Amino acid sequence: MGFWSGLFGGSSSGINQAINQFGQYSGFASGLGESNLSKGSKFWSNILSGNSARIAQTLAPEISTQQKQIQQGEKTATEFHNRGGGVNSAVQ
């Protein structure tokens, strides 16, 4: 309240009350937004750290998901496509 009351405060109780309410609203309404910012900040600091172990650990879930999708696509291709030589080259 100190900064805002110094700028806009006066003898009006309505202004002082509004300044107090603004001070309450200026923080995070819930920890959710602050938590999301912290997670995002940690993610990018790990990516940009240059430490390959931290980068690999940070990206491991995304890499694993993509590997599973590729394996599922290969399995689908081998089970349901025709048996010609094109399936083998498509899977490769």
Side-chain angles (χ1 to χ4, degrees):
M1 178 175 127
F3 173 75
W4 293 108
S5 65
L7 283 177
F8 301 110
S11 61
S12 170
S13 64
I15 290 176
N16 290 335
Q17 183 180 9
I19 290 171
N20 286 334
Q21 288 176 348
F22 178 74
Q24 292 171 358
Y25 297 136
S26 65
F28 282 97
S30 70
L32 181 62
E34 190 171 6
S35 170
N36 288 342
L37 288 176
S38 297
K39 288 178 184 176
S41 177
K42 182 179 178 186
F43 174 83
W44 284 111
S45 99
N46 286 342
I47 295 295
L48 299 173
S49 70
N51 182 341
S52 59
R54 284 176 62 188
I55 294 171
Q57 183 180 13
T58 302
L59 295 178
E62 287 82 7
I63 293 170
S64 174
T65 299
Q66 288 183 354
Q67 287 175 336
K68 288 177 185 175
Q69 289 174 347
I70 291 169
Q71 290 171 352
Q72 185 62 38
E74 291 174 351
K75 182 179 177 189
T76 301
T78 57
E79 289 178 357
F80 296 111
H81 289 128
N82 57 16
R83 299 291 181 220
V87 172
N88 292 335
S89 61
V91 169
Q92 296 299 325

